[in-house]
Amino acid sequence: MAKTYSDLFADVRENVKLIKLEDLKSRLEDKSQPAPLLIDVREKDEFRGGYIPGAVHMPRGFLEMQAEAKIPNKDAEVIVYCAGGTRSAFAAKTLGELGYSNVLSANPGFVTWKDKSYPVELPPQLTADQLDRYSRHLLLPEVGEKGQEKLLKGKVLLLGAGGLGSPAALYLAAAGVGTIGLVDADVVDASNLQRQIAHSTSRVGMPKVESAEVALKELNPDVKVIKYQERLNSENVDRIFGEGWDAIVDGCDNFPTRYLVNDASLFHKIPVVHGSIFRFDGQVTTFLPFDGPCYRCLYPEPPPAHLAPSCAEAGVLGILPGIVGTLQATEAIKIILGIGQKLDGRLLTYDSLGMTFRTLKLRRDKTCPACGDNATIKEYVDYEGFCAG
């Protein structure tokens, strides 16, 4: 004889371990043992009204699809809850069938939890437009609404609004990084348009920071753009770097500025995502202050001028900065979100003609004058003289 819903639910209740809300609260407050993994199986709209602190959102309809990604350890203690205790019971049964060995269902659910004035946390309050715009981010467990909120509160400073700064700025803006700083004293020239995609023919002659702001605001009105139409130097670097940036994307094209950026980033303890391009080749690395090597560890001294011609002298494949700048933007987003393996201690090189990537290990130099154990660089030096020598 076919079973009714009541029959199915009764069977589930008999085969699922239950935990009372009072016991769940005590269990979460007990710091003497590892915290259980708390799973909220309600729908998105319910979850946005509040959830038990520490809960991971996994709607019941996506449970089978998302379980292995969000609950990799099948022996972990898992406590599932919903609004009243019914969906969580079925979810606990499903998890058991998927091989999870220690699953409990909270009964009753969140409605009673809230009525008892137990702790409740609210998710980031994204607007309807933001939920739509960043919907693909919200589907990623590594990002989600909390991660998107971090991005919206994030601040990234781009040194240069040209070849590397253009793609980096566009992708950071598209991702929803809330504040983007642009440092560039130059104006848009027709020769820039072969690679500097933030600019356009109609904006030739416009300051690059203003031209880039137009492009970024058209792409994403959520973004605040802070413009510095000036050349970075020892006199203004502390003012510019002192604005609370989460990361710096370095698209500088000369050695004096690169050494200045290195020293200032160490003084201000700001991560720097360094990128450079030449003809058909590019490279990217990330400098995390005092956690890995710095630029001076990599290049203790600048090369002779005749061995380091600029792109204006040697040329550059137009699409190359798009690839390198996008890699830099990726690193900056990972820094803000606190996810993934950064490029600190590694130099990623790209050969566009051979279509090959290589990764070289970098080591921090304990004798480095900037970040070593007995650092001697305590203030800014004459970088033009240092690089000319």
Side-chain angles (χ1 to χ4, degrees):
M1 187 176 69
K3 291 185 177 181
T4 65
Y5 171 79
S6 298
D7 294 331
L8 288 173
F9 186 53
D11 289 344
V12 169
R13 289 287 295 268
E14 287 182 7
N15 293 286
V16 168
K17 295 179 182 178
L18 302 180
I19 182 171
K20 296 179 180 179
L21 295 184
E22 294 81 5
D23 295 334
L24 172 58
K25 181 173 180 291
S26 298
R27 180 71 183 82
L28 295 175
E29 291 173 344
D30 184 1
K31 305 302 181 185
S32 66
Q33 53 184 320
L37 182 56
L38 195 59
I39 303 295
D40 186 323
V41 297
R42 297 174 301 154
E43 297 303 310
K44 283 185 179 180
D45 291 342
E46 296 175 284
F47 186 78
R48 292 192 184 110
Y51 58 93
I52 300 175
V56 175
H57 186 219
M58 196 184 308
R60 176 67 189 89
F62 293 91
L63 188 68
E64 293 85 351
M65 185 188 307
Q66 298 181 356
E68 290 189 358
K70 293 188 177 183
I71 319 174
N73 181 5
K74 293 196 173 184
D75 294 322
E77 181 185 10
V78 179
I79 300 178
V80 188
Y81 76 89
C82 62
T86 301
R87 283 172 290 175
S88 63
F90 281 102
K93 179 177 182 293
T94 299
L95 289 173
E97 293 170 347
L98 290 173
Y100 293 91
S101 60
N102 190 11
V103 183
L104 297 89
S105 172
N107 189 279
F110 182 77
V111 173
T112 303
W113 176 280
K114 190 174 181 181
D115 289 343
K116 288 177 175 290
S117 298
Y118 289 170
V120 172
E121 188 171 334
L122 290 174
Q125 299 301 300
L126 302 180
T127 66
D129 287 343
Q130 289 172 334
L131 291 171
D132 184 33
R133 177 182 289 271
Y134 308 118
S135 61
R136 300 305 186 271
H137 269 177
L138 305 185
L139 293 173
L140 296 171
E142 297 83 357
V143 183
E145 293 188 19
K146 284 188 177 180
Q148 191 59 53
E149 183 182 46
K150 288 182 181 179
L151 291 174
L152 289 166
K153 292 180 178 179
K155 300 179 67 176
V156 176
L157 179 67
L158 288 94
L159 306 180
L164 297 177
S166 287
L170 288 171
Y171 269 108
L172 290 170
V177 173
T179 302
I180 295 176
L182 299 171
V183 183
D184 201 309
D186 204 0
V187 298
V188 179
D189 184 83
S191 66
N192 302 147
L193 303 180
Q194 165 250 13
R195 65 200 176 280
Q196 299 183 18
I197 59 174
H199 311 299
S200 67
T201 302
S202 64
R203 299 199 292 274
V204 169
M206 181 183 292
K208 286 185 179 178
V209 293
E210 293 186 9
S211 173
E213 180 185 34
V214 172
L216 299 184
K217 298 296 284 187
E218 286 182 352
L219 178 61
N220 189 349
D222 281 346
V223 176
K224 175 184 178 183
V225 179
I226 300 178
K227 298 171 292 183
Y228 302 95
Q229 191 182 344
E230 52 192 305
R231 182 173 179 239
L232 194 70
N233 56 44
S234 300
E235 283 69 45
N236 62 18
V237 67
D238 282 334
R239 167 172 56 83
I240 295 174
F241 278 29
E243 293 293 328
W245 305 103
D246 295 300
I248 294 171
V249 172
D250 177 14
C252 301
D253 60 359
N254 64 86
F255 284 99
T257 308
R258 288 174 184 169
Y259 284 100
L260 170 64
V261 169
N262 178 76
D263 297 348
S265 69
L266 291 171
F267 296 157
H268 289 268
K269 295 183 172 60
I270 308 174
V272 174
V273 185
H274 168 76
S276 62
I277 52 176
F278 179 70
R279 291 173 55 82
F280 299 97
D281 301 325
Q283 60 183 30
V284 184
T285 188
T286 295
F287 300 118
L288 301 181
F290 305 105
D291 285 339
C294 75
Y295 187 79
R296 286 184 183 270
C297 295
L298 186 57
Y299 299 109
E301 296 181 358
H306 69 279
L307 294 180
S310 68
C311 291
E313 298 168 318
V316 62
L317 183 67
I319 201 169
L320 178 65
I323 296 169
V324 174
T326 301
L327 292 171
Q328 289 181 278
T330 305
E331 284 288 282
I333 286 175
K334 285 157 56 183
I335 289 171
I336 294 173
L337 294 176
I339 62 173
Q341 184 178 1
K342 286 75 170 179
L343 277 173
D344 56 305
R346 295 182 296 152
L347 179 68
L348 182 68
T349 65
Y350 172 60
D351 171 6
S352 63
L353 291 182
M355 196 52 72
T356 56
F357 286 91
R358 293 181 62 200
T359 303
L360 308 176
K361 288 186 177 181
L362 305 177
R363 289 181 174 82
R364 184 178 176 191
D365 182 1
K366 293 184 178 181
T367 66
C368 174
C371 75
D373 294 341
N374 298 295
T376 57
I377 297 177
K378 304 294 184 181
E379 58 186 18
Y380 302 118
V381 301
D382 176 6
Y383 295 95
E384 296 287 349
F386 172 71
C387 293

